[in-house]
Amino acid sequence: MTLATTITIIAIAFIISALLALPLIPMLRRLKFGQSIREEGPQAHQKKAGTPTMGGIIFILSIVVTALALGWMNGLLTTQTVVLLLVLAGFGLIGFLDDFIKVVLKRNLGLTSLQKLIGQIVIAVVSYLLLRLGPFETTVGLPFTSFEIDLGPFYVLFLIFWLVGFSNAVNLTDGLDGLVAGTSSIAFAAFGVLGLVYGQEDLSLVAFSVTGALLGFLLFNANPAKIFMGDTGSLALGGILAMLSVLMKQELLLLLVGIVFVIETLSVILQVISFKTTGKRIFKMSPIHHHFELSGWSEWKVVIVFWTAALAAALIAVLPEVI
């Protein structure tokens, strides 16, 4: 895959996202598909109430169209690309149902945690079975080393944990305008480059499609956001990102590439453990991006710092493989 092809993939996905957003945002506003803001969240966020949500539909459609069209044209439609798009659509559907129940049916809790978990497990298992139809390694390797361990039949349990964990990690991170769209576009670009290095052009095609689609969405999601991705987008992104790391056999490298998502999740876990065991909170509010907001940082400053951290982590992960 040449540099020109890579740029073309990103550009096409970018344009499709931007064009889809133009009519969809006012349509969602007319339908009153607006985001409700938690009262216990930062007070500065109350002004965002009513901003159209479920915008993940925009980049999901862009990714699917770009990957299928260019994959077919370039002979890159493989079982792996199909599985990636299946995870994207499946996790996106779970998020869409959750958003629909909360926004349209006005039931604040949306899908229950158990309902979402069952849906995520089903998608993970179906993906695993599809992959096992062909040659599929059940090993997990330690990044930057030759050490690896074969999980054998237990790999399916790891896959479930990985997809569920990262889909929810990205979902937790989605609390500031442009935060997830920016950090995710960096992560997918990193895996796109790794795919080229490893000769997995089919995976690079999907990764760069996601990058372009997210950048197109970011035009409307950056502060002040005109649309939010909702669970529709965040669950889909986390699921496909985790699956991408699995197919590249760089599962644990995702802990570095997705360091922002990992830290956000750890901040929530630590906050809960601390409060339940000592009655005290470690952070002013979790996830940790809210802690910085309540410490006096502007929303833009938090987002830029987190984007920078994501970029630094991606470079650390990719450069040893490229050089």
Side-chain angles (χ1 to χ4, degrees):
M1 185 181 293
T2 64
L3 177 61
T5 303
T6 299
I7 294 174
T8 299
I9 294 169
I10 294 173
I12 290 175
F14 176 93
I15 292 169
I16 294 175
S17 264
L19 291 178
L20 285 173
L22 291 174
L24 191 59
I25 292 174
M27 183 183 77
L28 290 173
R29 188 176 289 114
R30 286 195 301 271
L31 293 172
K32 300 187 184 302
F33 284 10
Q35 178 74 44
S36 59
I37 306 299
R38 295 182 306 161
E39 291 185 4
E40 63 270 23
Q43 288 303 304
H45 286 208
Q46 295 304 315
K47 62 184 179 182
K48 301 181 182 185
T51 301
T53 188
M54 302 165 73
I57 297 171
I58 294 170
F59 55 77
I60 289 174
L61 288 174
S62 174
I63 295 163
V64 171
V65 170
T66 304
L68 287 180
L70 296 184
W72 177 74
M73 291 171 60
N74 295 279
L76 295 176
L77 275 183
T78 64
T79 300
Q80 294 190 127
T81 56
V82 171
V83 167
L84 282 172
L85 295 180
L86 170 66
V87 170
L88 175 76
F91 277 70
L93 177 60
I94 294 171
F96 176 83
L97 292 174
D98 192 40
D99 286 334
F100 187 85
I101 292 171
K102 288 186 289 189
V103 175
V104 180
L105 302 184
K106 307 301 181 184
R107 286 163 47 190
N108 291 336
L109 295 179
L111 291 174
T112 66
S113 297
L114 180 60
Q115 288 171 330
K116 284 189 280 190
L117 179 61
I118 291 173
Q120 292 167 324
I121 290 175
V122 169
I123 295 166
V125 171
V126 170
S127 299
Y128 177 77
L129 293 175
L130 287 174
L131 291 172
R132 290 311 301 264
L133 292 176
F136 178 72
E137 297 180 12
T138 54
T139 56
V140 175
L142 188 65
F144 312 121
T145 73
S146 59
F147 176 80
E148 60 183 25
I149 181 171
D150 191 347
L151 298 180
F154 296 104
Y155 191 91
V156 65
L157 299 178
F158 171 81
L159 182 65
I160 291 170
F161 168 77
W162 210 238
L163 266 64
V164 172
F166 264 93
S167 65
N168 288 298
V170 174
N171 183 244
L172 285 173
T173 307
D174 186 29
L176 300 179
D177 296 356
L179 178 56
V180 163
T183 50
S184 294
S185 63
I186 292 169
F188 281 101
F191 275 108
V193 172
L194 289 174
L196 296 181
V197 173
Y198 303 147
Q200 297 173 298
E201 293 189 352
D202 54 340
L203 302 183
S204 288
L205 167 64
V206 177
F208 287 131
S209 295
V210 180
T211 301
L214 284 174
L215 291 176
F217 178 75
L218 189 57
L219 289 176
F220 306 91
N221 182 239
N223 187 269
K226 298 178 179 63
I227 189 168
F228 299 138
M229 67 174 64
D231 288 359
T232 304
S234 58
L235 291 179
L237 289 176
I240 190 176
L241 181 60
M243 181 56 79
L244 195 58
S245 73
V246 165
L247 295 178
M248 286 192 183
K249 303 314 300 174
Q250 289 293 342
E251 295 95 335
L252 299 186
L253 190 65
L254 179 55
L255 295 175
L256 176 57
V257 175
I259 189 66
V260 170
F261 309 130
V262 174
I263 291 174
E264 293 271 23
T265 304
L266 286 176
S267 73
V268 174
I269 294 172
L270 291 174
Q271 185 87 321
V272 171
I273 292 174
S274 178
F275 187 74
K276 286 187 176 296
T277 56
T278 69
K280 297 180 180 179
R281 292 180 172 85
I282 301 174
F283 308 105
K284 295 181 178 180
M285 184 178 291
S286 65
I288 198 170
H289 56 257
H290 289 320
H291 170 81
F292 288 111
E293 274 193 290
L294 295 179
S295 298
W297 288 24
S298 69
E299 185 168 348
W300 253 123
K301 181 178 180 180
V302 177
V303 170
I304 293 297
V305 169
F306 279 42
W307 283 357
T308 303
L311 179 59
L315 290 173
I316 293 171
V318 170
L319 286 179
E321 300 294 333
V322 174
I323 296 175

mmCIF file with all atom_site columns, all heavy atoms in Angstrom, residues 5 24 78 81 87 100 131 145 147 154 184 190 194 211 232 250 261-262 267 269 311:
data_model
loop_
_atom_site.group_PDB
_atom_site.id
_atom_site.type_symbol
_atom_site.label_atom_id
_atom_site.label_alt_id
_atom_site.label_comp_id
_atom_site.label_asym_id
_atom_site.label_entity_id
_atom_site.label_seq_id
_atom_site.pdbx_PDB_ins_code
_atom_site.Cartn_x
_atom_site.Cartn_y
_atom_site.Cartn_z
_atom_site.occupancy
_atom_site.B_iso_or_equiv
_atom_site.pdbx_formal_charge
_atom_site.auth_seq_id
_atom_site.auth_comp_id
_atom_site.auth_asym_id
_atom_site.auth_atom_id
_atom_site.pdbx_PDB_model_num
ATOM 1   N N   . THR A 1 5   ? -2.106  5.827   -1.643 1.00 0.00 ? 5   THR A N   1
ATOM 2   C CA  . THR A 1 5   ? -3.283  5.009   -1.347 1.00 0.00 ? 5   THR A CA  1
ATOM 3   C C   . THR A 1 5   ? -3.771  5.261   0.080  1.00 0.00 ? 5   THR A C   1
ATOM 4   O O   . THR A 1 5   ? -4.977  5.384   0.328  1.00 0.00 ? 5   THR A O   1
ATOM 5   C CB  . THR A 1 5   ? -2.958  3.511   -1.516 1.00 0.00 ? 5   THR A CB  1
ATOM 6   O OG1 . THR A 1 5   ? -2.492  3.271   -2.837 1.00 0.00 ? 5   THR A OG1 1
ATOM 7   C CG2 . THR A 1 5   ? -4.199  2.663   -1.251 1.00 0.00 ? 5   THR A CG2 1
ATOM 8   N N   . LEU A 1 24  ? -27.369 15.172  8.779  1.00 0.00 ? 24  LEU A N   1
ATOM 9   C CA  . LEU A 1 24  ? -27.782 14.367  9.931  1.00 0.00 ? 24  LEU A CA  1
ATOM 10  C C   . LEU A 1 24  ? -27.897 15.193  11.215 1.00 0.00 ? 24  LEU A C   1
ATOM 11  O O   . LEU A 1 24  ? -28.809 14.983  12.015 1.00 0.00 ? 24  LEU A O   1
ATOM 12  C CB  . LEU A 1 24  ? -26.804 13.216  10.146 1.00 0.00 ? 24  LEU A CB  1
ATOM 13  C CG  . LEU A 1 24  ? -27.246 12.145  11.150 1.00 0.00 ? 24  LEU A CG  1
ATOM 14  C CD1 . LEU A 1 24  ? -28.558 11.507  10.715 1.00 0.00 ? 24  LEU A CD1 1
ATOM 15  C CD2 . LEU A 1 24  ? -26.176 11.066  11.307 1.00 0.00 ? 24  LEU A CD2 1
ATOM 16  N N   . THR A 1 78  ? -11.249 -9.454  3.157  1.00 0.00 ? 78  THR A N   1
ATOM 17  C CA  . THR A 1 78  ? -10.862 -10.747 3.720  1.00 0.00 ? 78  THR A CA  1
ATOM 18  C C   . THR A 1 78  ? -11.761 -11.087 4.909  1.00 0.00 ? 78  THR A C   1
ATOM 19  O O   . THR A 1 78  ? -12.579 -10.264 5.338  1.00 0.00 ? 78  THR A O   1
ATOM 20  C CB  . THR A 1 78  ? -9.407  -10.703 4.193  1.00 0.00 ? 78  THR A CB  1
ATOM 21  O OG1 . THR A 1 78  ? -9.300  -9.747  5.269  1.00 0.00 ? 78  THR A OG1 1
ATOM 22  C CG2 . THR A 1 78  ? -8.467  -10.296 3.062  1.00 0.00 ? 78  THR A CG2 1
ATOM 23  N N   . THR A 1 81  ? -11.244 -8.411  7.571  1.00 0.00 ? 81  THR A N   1
ATOM 24  C CA  . THR A 1 81  ? -11.942 -7.133  7.413  1.00 0.00 ? 81  THR A CA  1
ATOM 25  C C   . THR A 1 81  ? -13.427 -7.303  7.707  1.00 0.00 ? 81  THR A C   1
ATOM 26  O O   . THR A 1 81  ? -14.055 -6.417  8.293  1.00 0.00 ? 81  THR A O   1
ATOM 27  C CB  . THR A 1 81  ? -11.745 -6.563  5.991  1.00 0.00 ? 81  THR A CB  1
ATOM 28  O OG1 . THR A 1 81  ? -12.166 -7.523  5.014  1.00 0.00 ? 81  THR A OG1 1
ATOM 29  C CG2 . THR A 1 81  ? -10.295 -6.208  5.733  1.00 0.00 ? 81  THR A CG2 1
ATOM 30  N N   . VAL A 1 87  ? -17.746 -6.469  14.131 1.00 0.00 ? 87  VAL A N   1
ATOM 31  C CA  . VAL A 1 87  ? -17.586 -5.965  15.499 1.00 0.00 ? 87  VAL A CA  1
ATOM 32  C C   . VAL A 1 87  ? -18.003 -4.499  15.568 1.00 0.00 ? 87  VAL A C   1
ATOM 33  O O   . VAL A 1 87  ? -18.709 -4.084  16.503 1.00 0.00 ? 87  VAL A O   1
ATOM 34  C CB  . VAL A 1 87  ? -16.126 -6.134  15.967 1.00 0.00 ? 87  VAL A CB  1
ATOM 35  C CG1 . VAL A 1 87  ? -15.890 -5.395  17.294 1.00 0.00 ? 87  VAL A CG1 1
ATOM 36  C CG2 . VAL A 1 87  ? -15.792 -7.616  16.126 1.00 0.00 ? 87  VAL A CG2 1
ATOM 37  N N   . PHE A 1 100 ? -30.894 5.014   22.107 1.00 0.00 ? 100 PHE A N   1
ATOM 38  C CA  . PHE A 1 100 ? -32.290 5.170   21.706 1.00 0.00 ? 100 PHE A CA  1
ATOM 39  C C   . PHE A 1 100 ? -33.209 5.087   22.917 1.00 0.00 ? 100 PHE A C   1
ATOM 40  O O   . PHE A 1 100 ? -34.140 5.877   23.069 1.00 0.00 ? 100 PHE A O   1
ATOM 41  C CB  . PHE A 1 100 ? -32.663 4.089   20.692 1.00 0.00 ? 100 PHE A CB  1
ATOM 42  C CG  . PHE A 1 100 ? -34.031 4.265   20.089 1.00 0.00 ? 100 PHE A CG  1
ATOM 43  C CD1 . PHE A 1 100 ? -34.218 5.087   18.997 1.00 0.00 ? 100 PHE A CD1 1
ATOM 44  C CD2 . PHE A 1 100 ? -35.127 3.605   20.626 1.00 0.00 ? 100 PHE A CD2 1
ATOM 45  C CE1 . PHE A 1 100 ? -35.483 5.261   18.437 1.00 0.00 ? 100 PHE A CE1 1
ATOM 46  C CE2 . PHE A 1 100 ? -36.393 3.771   20.079 1.00 0.00 ? 100 PHE A CE2 1
ATOM 47  C CZ  . PHE A 1 100 ? -36.571 4.606   18.975 1.00 0.00 ? 100 PHE A CZ  1
ATOM 48  N N   . LEU A 1 131 ? -13.193 -16.444 12.853 1.00 0.00 ? 131 LEU A N   1
ATOM 49  C CA  . LEU A 1 131 ? -11.744 -16.444 12.696 1.00 0.00 ? 131 LEU A CA  1
ATOM 50  C C   . LEU A 1 131 ? -11.179 -17.858 12.729 1.00 0.00 ? 131 LEU A C   1
ATOM 51  O O   . LEU A 1 131 ? -10.205 -18.167 12.033 1.00 0.00 ? 131 LEU A O   1
ATOM 52  C CB  . LEU A 1 131 ? -11.096 -15.599 13.795 1.00 0.00 ? 131 LEU A CB  1
ATOM 53  C CG  . LEU A 1 131 ? -11.352 -14.087 13.712 1.00 0.00 ? 131 LEU A CG  1
ATOM 54  C CD1 . LEU A 1 131 ? -10.828 -13.386 14.956 1.00 0.00 ? 131 LEU A CD1 1
ATOM 55  C CD2 . LEU A 1 131 ? -10.703 -13.493 12.460 1.00 0.00 ? 131 LEU A CD2 1
ATOM 56  N N   . THR A 1 145 ? 9.223   -7.942  22.377 1.00 0.00 ? 145 THR A N   1
ATOM 57  C CA  . THR A 1 145 ? 9.991   -9.144  22.705 1.00 0.00 ? 145 THR A CA  1
ATOM 58  C C   . THR A 1 145 ? 9.477   -10.300 21.846 1.00 0.00 ? 145 THR A C   1
ATOM 59  O O   . THR A 1 145 ? 8.470   -10.181 21.157 1.00 0.00 ? 145 THR A O   1
ATOM 60  C CB  . THR A 1 145 ? 9.838   -9.539  24.195 1.00 0.00 ? 145 THR A CB  1
ATOM 61  O OG1 . THR A 1 145 ? 8.533   -10.088 24.404 1.00 0.00 ? 145 THR A OG1 1
ATOM 62  C CG2 . THR A 1 145 ? 10.055  -8.339  25.111 1.00 0.00 ? 145 THR A CG2 1
ATOM 63  N N   . PHE A 1 147 ? 8.740   -13.126 23.351 1.00 0.00 ? 147 PHE A N   1
ATOM 64  C CA  . PHE A 1 147 ? 8.026   -13.970 24.306 1.00 0.00 ? 147 PHE A CA  1
ATOM 65  C C   . PHE A 1 147 ? 6.532   -13.975 24.007 1.00 0.00 ? 147 PHE A C   1
ATOM 66  O O   . PHE A 1 147 ? 5.929   -12.928 23.774 1.00 0.00 ? 147 PHE A O   1
ATOM 67  C CB  . PHE A 1 147 ? 8.247   -13.468 25.737 1.00 0.00 ? 147 PHE A CB  1
ATOM 68  C CG  . PHE A 1 147 ? 7.471   -14.239 26.769 1.00 0.00 ? 147 PHE A CG  1
ATOM 69  C CD1 . PHE A 1 147 ? 7.933   -15.461 27.224 1.00 0.00 ? 147 PHE A CD1 1
ATOM 70  C CD2 . PHE A 1 147 ? 6.260   -13.755 27.264 1.00 0.00 ? 147 PHE A CD2 1
ATOM 71  C CE1 . PHE A 1 147 ? 7.213   -16.199 28.171 1.00 0.00 ? 147 PHE A CE1 1
ATOM 72  C CE2 . PHE A 1 147 ? 5.534   -14.474 28.206 1.00 0.00 ? 147 PHE A CE2 1
ATOM 73  C CZ  . PHE A 1 147 ? 6.019   -15.702 28.656 1.00 0.00 ? 147 PHE A CZ  1
ATOM 74  N N   . PHE A 1 154 ? -8.648  -21.295 25.628 1.00 0.00 ? 154 PHE A N   1
ATOM 75  C CA  . PHE A 1 154 ? -9.002  -20.222 26.567 1.00 0.00 ? 154 PHE A CA  1
ATOM 76  C C   . PHE A 1 154 ? -8.890  -18.837 25.919 1.00 0.00 ? 154 PHE A C   1
ATOM 77  O O   . PHE A 1 154 ? -9.255  -17.839 26.540 1.00 0.00 ? 154 PHE A O   1
ATOM 78  C CB  . PHE A 1 154 ? -8.110  -20.281 27.809 1.00 0.00 ? 154 PHE A CB  1
ATOM 79  C CG  . PHE A 1 154 ? -8.286  -21.528 28.613 1.00 0.00 ? 154 PHE A CG  1
ATOM 80  C CD1 . PHE A 1 154 ? -7.340  -22.548 28.555 1.00 0.00 ? 154 PHE A CD1 1
ATOM 81  C CD2 . PHE A 1 154 ? -9.411  -21.711 29.398 1.00 0.00 ? 154 PHE A CD2 1
ATOM 82  C CE1 . PHE A 1 154 ? -7.506  -23.715 29.281 1.00 0.00 ? 154 PHE A CE1 1
ATOM 83  C CE2 . PHE A 1 154 ? -9.594  -22.874 30.139 1.00 0.00 ? 154 PHE A CE2 1
ATOM 84  C CZ  . PHE A 1 154 ? -8.645  -23.880 30.069 1.00 0.00 ? 154 PHE A CZ  1
ATOM 85  N N   . SER A 1 184 ? -8.833  8.406   19.546 1.00 0.00 ? 184 SER A N   1
ATOM 86  C CA  . SER A 1 184 ? -9.078  7.195   18.755 1.00 0.00 ? 184 SER A CA  1
ATOM 87  C C   . SER A 1 184 ? -8.478  7.302   17.362 1.00 0.00 ? 184 SER A C   1
ATOM 88  O O   . SER A 1 184 ? -7.923  6.326   16.840 1.00 0.00 ? 184 SER A O   1
ATOM 89  C CB  . SER A 1 184 ? -10.585 6.926   18.644 1.00 0.00 ? 184 SER A CB  1
ATOM 90  O OG  . SER A 1 184 ? -11.140 6.609   19.899 1.00 0.00 ? 184 SER A OG  1
ATOM 91  N N   . ALA A 1 190 ? -2.052  4.659   14.257 1.00 0.00 ? 190 ALA A N   1
ATOM 92  C CA  . ALA A 1 190 ? -0.887  3.882   14.696 1.00 0.00 ? 190 ALA A CA  1
ATOM 93  C C   . ALA A 1 190 ? -1.007  2.429   14.246 1.00 0.00 ? 190 ALA A C   1
ATOM 94  O O   . ALA A 1 190 ? -0.047  1.842   13.712 1.00 0.00 ? 190 ALA A O   1
ATOM 95  C CB  . ALA A 1 190 ? -0.761  3.952   16.219 1.00 0.00 ? 190 ALA A CB  1
ATOM 96  N N   . LEU A 1 194 ? 1.238   0.109   11.638 1.00 0.00 ? 194 LEU A N   1
ATOM 97  C CA  . LEU A 1 194 ? 1.736   -1.219  12.011 1.00 0.00 ? 194 LEU A CA  1
ATOM 98  C C   . LEU A 1 194 ? 1.273   -2.282  11.017 1.00 0.00 ? 194 LEU A C   1
ATOM 99  O O   . LEU A 1 194 ? 2.025   -3.205  10.682 1.00 0.00 ? 194 LEU A O   1
ATOM 100 C CB  . LEU A 1 194 ? 1.254   -1.578  13.419 1.00 0.00 ? 194 LEU A CB  1
ATOM 101 C CG  . LEU A 1 194 ? 1.887   -0.796  14.572 1.00 0.00 ? 194 LEU A CG  1
ATOM 102 C CD1 . LEU A 1 194 ? 1.219   -1.156  15.890 1.00 0.00 ? 194 LEU A CD1 1
ATOM 103 C CD2 . LEU A 1 194 ? 3.380   -1.050  14.644 1.00 0.00 ? 194 LEU A CD2 1
ATOM 104 N N   . THR A 1 211 ? -9.641  6.151   10.856 1.00 0.00 ? 211 THR A N   1
ATOM 105 C CA  . THR A 1 211 ? -8.933  7.421   11.092 1.00 0.00 ? 211 THR A CA  1
ATOM 106 C C   . THR A 1 211 ? -9.576  8.560   10.319 1.00 0.00 ? 211 THR A C   1
ATOM 107 O O   . THR A 1 211 ? -9.886  9.619   10.881 1.00 0.00 ? 211 THR A O   1
ATOM 108 C CB  . THR A 1 211 ? -7.454  7.292   10.670 1.00 0.00 ? 211 THR A CB  1
ATOM 109 O OG1 . THR A 1 211 ? -6.829  6.244   11.421 1.00 0.00 ? 211 THR A OG1 1
ATOM 110 C CG2 . THR A 1 211 ? -6.715  8.604   10.926 1.00 0.00 ? 211 THR A CG2 1
ATOM 111 N N   . THR A 1 232 ? -23.386 4.819   20.799 1.00 0.00 ? 232 THR A N   1
ATOM 112 C CA  . THR A 1 232 ? -23.359 4.264   19.436 1.00 0.00 ? 232 THR A CA  1
ATOM 113 C C   . THR A 1 232 ? -21.943 4.282   18.891 1.00 0.00 ? 232 THR A C   1
ATOM 114 O O   . THR A 1 232 ? -21.469 3.292   18.321 1.00 0.00 ? 232 THR A O   1
ATOM 115 C CB  . THR A 1 232 ? -24.265 5.094   18.501 1.00 0.00 ? 232 THR A CB  1
ATOM 116 O OG1 . THR A 1 232 ? -25.578 5.151   19.042 1.00 0.00 ? 232 THR A OG1 1
ATOM 117 C CG2 . THR A 1 232 ? -24.305 4.494   17.103 1.00 0.00 ? 232 THR A CG2 1
ATOM 118 N N   . GLN A 1 250 ? -1.053  -8.026  18.326 1.00 0.00 ? 250 GLN A N   1
ATOM 119 C CA  . GLN A 1 250 ? -0.400  -7.010  19.151 1.00 0.00 ? 250 GLN A CA  1
ATOM 120 C C   . GLN A 1 250 ? -1.369  -6.577  20.248 1.00 0.00 ? 250 GLN A C   1
ATOM 121 O O   . GLN A 1 250 ? -1.553  -5.390  20.502 1.00 0.00 ? 250 GLN A O   1
ATOM 122 C CB  . GLN A 1 250 ? 0.007   -5.806  18.286 1.00 0.00 ? 250 GLN A CB  1
ATOM 123 C CG  . GLN A 1 250 ? 1.148   -6.076  17.339 1.00 0.00 ? 250 GLN A CG  1
ATOM 124 C CD  . GLN A 1 250 ? 2.460   -6.322  18.068 1.00 0.00 ? 250 GLN A CD  1
ATOM 125 O OE1 . GLN A 1 250 ? 2.612   -5.974  19.232 1.00 0.00 ? 250 GLN A OE1 1
ATOM 126 N NE2 . GLN A 1 250 ? 3.421   -6.910  17.369 1.00 0.00 ? 250 GLN A NE2 1
ATOM 127 N N   . PHE A 1 261 ? -7.221  5.599   27.302 1.00 0.00 ? 261 PHE A N   1
ATOM 128 C CA  . PHE A 1 261 ? -8.393  4.808   27.675 1.00 0.00 ? 261 PHE A CA  1
ATOM 129 C C   . PHE A 1 261 ? -8.103  3.976   28.924 1.00 0.00 ? 261 PHE A C   1
ATOM 130 O O   . PHE A 1 261 ? -8.972  3.797   29.788 1.00 0.00 ? 261 PHE A O   1
ATOM 131 C CB  . PHE A 1 261 ? -8.811  3.887   26.524 1.00 0.00 ? 261 PHE A CB  1
ATOM 132 C CG  . PHE A 1 261 ? -8.955  4.591   25.207 1.00 0.00 ? 261 PHE A CG  1
ATOM 133 C CD1 . PHE A 1 261 ? -8.348  4.100   24.061 1.00 0.00 ? 261 PHE A CD1 1
ATOM 134 C CD2 . PHE A 1 261 ? -9.691  5.758   25.112 1.00 0.00 ? 261 PHE A CD2 1
ATOM 135 C CE1 . PHE A 1 261 ? -8.481  4.749   22.846 1.00 0.00 ? 261 PHE A CE1 1
ATOM 136 C CE2 . PHE A 1 261 ? -9.822  6.432   23.902 1.00 0.00 ? 261 PHE A CE2 1
ATOM 137 C CZ  . PHE A 1 261 ? -9.217  5.924   22.764 1.00 0.00 ? 261 PHE A CZ  1
ATOM 138 N N   . VAL A 1 262 ? -6.875  3.459   29.007 1.00 0.00 ? 262 VAL A N   1
ATOM 139 C CA  . VAL A 1 262 ? -6.482  2.650   30.165 1.00 0.00 ? 262 VAL A CA  1
ATOM 140 C C   . VAL A 1 262 ? -6.481  3.497   31.432 1.00 0.00 ? 262 VAL A C   1
ATOM 141 O O   . VAL A 1 262 ? -7.022  3.093   32.471 1.00 0.00 ? 262 VAL A O   1
ATOM 142 C CB  . VAL A 1 262 ? -5.081  2.033   29.936 1.00 0.00 ? 262 VAL A CB  1
ATOM 143 C CG1 . VAL A 1 262 ? -4.602  1.315   31.195 1.00 0.00 ? 262 VAL A CG1 1
ATOM 144 C CG2 . VAL A 1 262 ? -5.107  1.061   28.756 1.00 0.00 ? 262 VAL A CG2 1
ATOM 145 N N   . SER A 1 267 ? -8.770  5.159   36.608 1.00 0.00 ? 267 SER A N   1
ATOM 146 C CA  . SER A 1 267 ? -9.187  6.229   37.519 1.00 0.00 ? 267 SER A CA  1
ATOM 147 C C   . SER A 1 267 ? -10.558 5.940   38.107 1.00 0.00 ? 267 SER A C   1
ATOM 148 O O   . SER A 1 267 ? -10.815 6.214   39.289 1.00 0.00 ? 267 SER A O   1
ATOM 149 C CB  . SER A 1 267 ? -9.194  7.582   36.798 1.00 0.00 ? 267 SER A CB  1
ATOM 150 O OG  . SER A 1 267 ? -10.277 7.698   35.882 1.00 0.00 ? 267 SER A OG  1
ATOM 151 N N   . ILE A 1 269 ? -11.893 2.829   38.445 1.00 0.00 ? 269 ILE A N   1
ATOM 152 C CA  . ILE A 1 269 ? -11.743 1.665   39.323 1.00 0.00 ? 269 ILE A CA  1
ATOM 153 C C   . ILE A 1 269 ? -11.151 2.084   40.668 1.00 0.00 ? 269 ILE A C   1
ATOM 154 O O   . ILE A 1 269 ? -11.648 1.691   41.737 1.00 0.00 ? 269 ILE A O   1
ATOM 155 C CB  . ILE A 1 269 ? -10.848 0.604   38.653 1.00 0.00 ? 269 ILE A CB  1
ATOM 156 C CG1 . ILE A 1 269 ? -11.545 0.042   37.404 1.00 0.00 ? 269 ILE A CG1 1
ATOM 157 C CG2 . ILE A 1 269 ? -10.519 -0.523  39.633 1.00 0.00 ? 269 ILE A CG2 1
ATOM 158 C CD1 . ILE A 1 269 ? -10.669 -0.876  36.572 1.00 0.00 ? 269 ILE A CD1 1
ATOM 159 N N   . LEU A 1 311 ? -0.740  10.750  21.365 1.00 0.00 ? 311 LEU A N   1
ATOM 160 C CA  . LEU A 1 311 ? 0.208   10.807  20.246 1.00 0.00 ? 311 LEU A CA  1
ATOM 161 C C   . LEU A 1 311 ? 1.584   10.318  20.672 1.00 0.00 ? 311 LEU A C   1
ATOM 162 O O   . LEU A 1 311 ? 2.243   9.556   19.949 1.00 0.00 ? 311 LEU A O   1
ATOM 163 C CB  . LEU A 1 311 ? 0.298   12.237  19.710 1.00 0.00 ? 311 LEU A CB  1
ATOM 164 C CG  . LEU A 1 311 ? 1.264   12.464  18.538 1.00 0.00 ? 311 LEU A CG  1
ATOM 165 C CD1 . LEU A 1 311 ? 0.879   11.594  17.355 1.00 0.00 ? 311 LEU A CD1 1
ATOM 166 C CD2 . LEU A 1 311 ? 1.286   13.938  18.141 1.00 0.00 ? 311 LEU A CD2 1
#
